[in-house]
Structures are given as structure tokens and as C-alpha cells.
């Protein structure tokens, strides 16, 4: 996939980490960012906007570094899931937050669980599936996912189920019997789910590599139906592993290598779920230090963050 530069914005000071990103129906890029000193903010950038906007989110709790909020989107609406009981709902990019208390009549969401990421929805009515870590001790590894049904028109939200990924031949459990990890999820139009599985071991992948990683089609009970792609350490002494996230269009998975010395030489890849193709992402001329951040329809958002500055650009793609 060759990217061609369409528009670029002046860099902004960025003393923050980008946690989650999404693209609304009108093409607006939004990102939940966190600063150690200023808490959480929402970055907003419309393709026609002259500048990047940062919107402080003072209503979001900044005190729990292990259970950060996650970003949900639906059409032009966006919401922040804060803790286990609170949803801060915005009907459009400029609207003020409406507080929604999340119902949990069946007590499915554990009180000590920690959120990691929310699913990308294939259809407007799809529930959100939140990757959660259920272990009492924080390891930064989600092995369960919780179903959250939320409605913008009714201003309502409810926890409806909790499941873990069930081990299979291609997605085995760890040597300690732990279920496979759940890195990110995307819902399919027929009600199923796609899951990125960053292995099952509890060791730090950044240091040791991943025992395996996989893209799998699963059902809502966590049963693996089929594996679309698989990789990881092969026993040759080279460390392998990828970070992956489903794009806003839901039909693509972005894979970013963790190690520059693997077969991909540190270059990102886009996997198309519909046709099973894996393409290298080639940055525009003069932008080799940039990374793909989000993709929806014909728009590709790329970014570079270093030396306390964030640069964003919009590209068009060419196979």
C-alpha cells in the first residue's frame, strides 16, 4: 500500500501519550491522549480543519494508571468508558458530556477488572466488546472481554456478558494454563468477532518476543472458529512480535512489528479481512519516520511523535 500525501498540519507540542484513536462518520480523527500532569484530553482533527484541537476532559478520573478509560464511537457520537460504572457520552464531536450510569443487573463485570481497549464496530448497532484484565495483580495483559450494549438515543448502557478466549490448537494456553491473551477486537456484520491474539505467555513480549500471535475469528463465547493469520517466535533465536489494532473501517488490521530485526524489518503491514491480503505500508516521500495511525475508507492518517512534538498528515492510498 503506497501512501500519497494529501494534507499536512503544523506540529503541536505533545507532552502526552496517545491511548486510543477512531474516525467518526464525517472523517474527523479523534484520539484519547493522556498527560502525567494534565490528565486526559481528546484530540480532534477534521480533514478540512486548519489546526489540531485538544479538548481537556476534566470529568474523567486521572488517578488510576492501571485502569485507564477507553474510547467508544458510533456514527458521529463518541463516549469514554471510565471505571466500570460510568460512561461519558457525547452525541457529536462538540457536544458536552452526558453522564450515563452503566447497568449491570447480572453482575457480569468483575469489580477489580482493568480495561485495555474497546472493539471496532462493523455496524451502527453492534455492542462494544471491551478487552479486560481480570487478574487481581496487574500485568498489563487482557485475557477476557466484556460485552457492553450502549445506545446514544436512549442514553443507556448495560454490561451483558463476560468471556475468555478458549484455547485451541492454533491459539494454545500458556504453560501455566492461562487462556490466550486478547489484544484487540472487531465485530463482524453477522454478529461474530475478530480477535487479535498476542500469544498466551505472561512474560514481557517487548523483551522476549511473542510465543505466537494470531488473527482469529471467534464467537461471543470465546470459541475459535478459524485462524486467518499466525506468526511469532520460531525457535531460531530471533525475537518476533507485533502490536496490532483494527482500523476504524473494521475490515483491516494494522500490524506494527515490535522488533526491527524480523522479516518485516520493522515496517507496518495492513491485513484485509475480506480478501486475506497482507500489504506493506509505504510512507510518502520524505515521511519515512511517520507511522500509520488510522484508516477509514480512502483516508489514511499518519503521525510522527518525537522530541515532545506531534505531527499529523492525511494521505490517500494506492495499492
Amino acid at each position: 500500500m503506497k501512501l500519497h500525501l494529501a494534507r499536512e498540519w503544523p506540529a503541536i507540542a505533545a507532552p502526552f501519550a496517545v491511548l486510543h484513536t477512531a474516525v467518526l462518520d464525517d472523517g474527523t480523527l479523534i484520539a484519547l491522549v493522556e498527560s502525567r500532569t494534565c490528565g486526559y484530553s481528546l484530540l480532534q482533527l477534521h480533514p478540512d480543519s486548519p489546526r489540531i484541537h485538544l479538548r481537556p476532559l476534566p470529568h474523567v478520573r486521572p488517578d488510576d494508571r492501571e485502569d485507564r478509560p477507553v474510547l467508544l464511537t458510533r456514527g458521529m457520537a463518541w463516549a469514554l468508558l471510565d471505571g466500570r460504572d460510568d460512561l461519558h457520552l457525547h452525541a457529536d464531536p462538540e457536544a458536552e458530556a452526558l453522564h450515563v450510569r452503566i447497568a449491570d443487573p447480572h453482575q457480569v463485570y468483575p469489580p477489580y477488572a482493568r480495561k485495555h481497549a474497546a472493539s471496532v464496530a462493523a455496524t451502527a448497532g453492534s455492542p462494544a466488546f471491551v478487552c479486560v484484565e481480570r487478574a487481581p495483580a496487574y500485568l498489563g495483559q487482557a485475557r477476557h472481554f466484556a460485552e457492553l450494549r450502549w445506545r446514544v438515543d436512549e442514553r443507556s448502557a448495560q454490561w451483558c456478558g463476560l468471556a475468555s478466549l478458549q484455547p485451541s490448537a492454533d491459539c494454545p494456553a500458556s504453560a501455566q494454563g492461562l487462556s490466550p491473551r486478547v489484544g484487540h477486537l472487531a465485530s463482524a456484520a453477522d454478529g461474530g468477532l475478530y480477535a487479535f491474539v498476542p500469544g498466551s505467555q505472561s512474560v514481557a513480549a517487548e523483551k522476549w518476543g511473542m510465543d505466537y500471535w494470531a488473527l482469529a475469528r471467534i464467537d461471543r463465547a470465546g470459541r475459535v472458529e478459524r485462524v486467518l493469520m499466525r506468526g511469532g517466535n520460531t525457535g531460531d533465536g530471533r525475537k518476533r512480535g507485533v502490536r496490532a489494532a483494527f482500523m476504524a473501517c473494521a475490515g483491516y488490521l494494522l500490524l506494527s512489528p515490535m522488533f526491527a530485526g524480523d522479516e518485516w524489518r520493522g515496517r507496518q503491514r495492513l491485513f484485509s479481512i475480506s480478501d486475506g491480503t497482507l500489504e506493506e505500508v509505504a510512507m510518502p516521500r520524505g515521511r519515512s519516520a511517520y507511522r500509520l495511525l488510522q484508516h477509514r475508507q480512502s483516508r489514511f492518517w499518519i503521525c510522527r511523535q518525537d522530541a515532545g512534538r506531534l505531527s499529523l498528515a492525511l494521505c490517500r492510498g494506492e495499492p
Side-chain angles (χ1 to χ4, degrees):
M1 178 69 67
K2 175 63 177 177
L3 301 185
H4 300 276
L5 193 64
R7 184 172 181 184
E8 195 167 18
W9 285 263
I12 63 170
F16 52 70
V18 177
L19 301 181
H20 307 288
T21 64
V23 180
L24 303 179
D25 279 0
D26 68 346
T28 297
L29 172 73
I30 62 174
L32 177 65
V33 302
E34 180 191 23
S35 166
R36 288 282 180 178
T37 57
C38 301
Y40 296 101
S41 299
L42 188 82
L43 182 150
Q44 296 176 239
L45 181 56
H46 188 275
D48 298 328
S49 175
R51 63 185 181 88
I52 302 168
H53 299 270
L54 274 177
R55 175 178 181 172
L57 301 171
H59 52 279
V60 180
R61 290 189 293 259
D63 54 343
D64 192 343
R65 300 294 176 181
E66 294 182 359
D67 189 25
R68 293 178 169 90
V70 296
L71 179 65
L72 311 176
T73 60
R74 177 167 293 166
M76 289 297 294
W78 61 277
L80 289 175
L81 175 58
D82 190 15
R84 66 187 293 263
D85 301 316
D86 300 308
L87 190 71
H88 304 291
L89 177 62
H90 300 255
D92 60 64
E94 304 302 326
E96 293 300 318
L98 295 172
H99 178 256
V100 177
R101 189 73 173 176
I102 302 174
D104 191 3
H106 305 295
Q107 300 295 306
V108 299
Y109 193 90
Y112 48 81
R114 302 163 179 88
K115 306 175 301 299
H116 284 248
S119 61
V120 176
T123 62
S126 300
F129 294 88
V130 183
C131 304
V132 297
E133 181 174 358
R134 193 177 180 181
Y138 176 73
L139 297 174
Q141 300 171 358
R143 297 180 187 271
H144 291 75
F145 56 94
E147 180 180 348
L148 177 68
R149 296 180 185 174
W150 63 294
R151 296 193 54 141
V152 178
D153 54 348
E154 296 181 355
R155 309 293 194 262
S156 64
Q158 178 177 318
W159 293 114
C160 297
L162 181 73
S164 61
L165 195 63
Q166 299 185 21
S168 68
D170 288 313
C171 299
S174 70
Q176 297 77 29
L178 299 174
S179 61
R181 295 163 59 186
V182 186
H184 202 203
L185 295 164
S187 60
D190 62 3
L193 291 169
Y194 292 100
F196 172 68
V197 186
S200 60
Q201 299 298 333
S202 58
V203 299
E206 292 81 0
K207 182 176 181 180
W208 304 105
M210 292 178 177
D211 52 337
Y212 69 89
W213 58 262
L215 170 61
R217 164 81 183 214
I218 66 173
D219 64 17
R220 295 191 182 190
R223 292 182 290 262
V224 175
E225 297 175 347
R226 68 178 186 275
V227 172
L228 288 74
M229 184 170 47
R230 197 177 191 276
N233 293 339
T234 59
D236 61 1
R238 298 174 69 181
K239 295 183 291 186
R240 294 173 175 85
V242 296
R243 296 182 178 90
F246 291 97
M247 297 286 89
C249 52
Y252 287 87
L253 179 72
L254 175 65
L255 300 112
S256 303
M258 299 171 64
F259 306 101
D262 66 5
E263 292 82 355
W264 292 1
R265 303 183 301 280
R267 298 174 182 171
Q268 293 175 301
R269 298 286 196 278
L270 263 180
F271 181 80
S272 170
I273 294 175
S274 61
D275 57 25
T277 58
L278 182 67
E279 293 185 84
E280 180 179 322
V281 180
M283 290 294 126
R285 183 184 299 273
R287 304 296 186 277
S288 60
Y290 281 61
R291 306 285 280 176
L292 181 58
L293 182 66
Q294 263 295 355
H295 163 45
R296 183 170 179 178
Q297 298 174 337
S298 61
R299 295 186 177 102
F300 294 79
W301 295 92
I302 63 174
C303 73
R304 178 182 181 180
Q305 187 172 7
D306 59 6
R309 307 286 291 176
L310 175 68
S311 301
L312 287 169
L314 180 63
C315 298
R316 305 292 180 180
E318 178 183 287

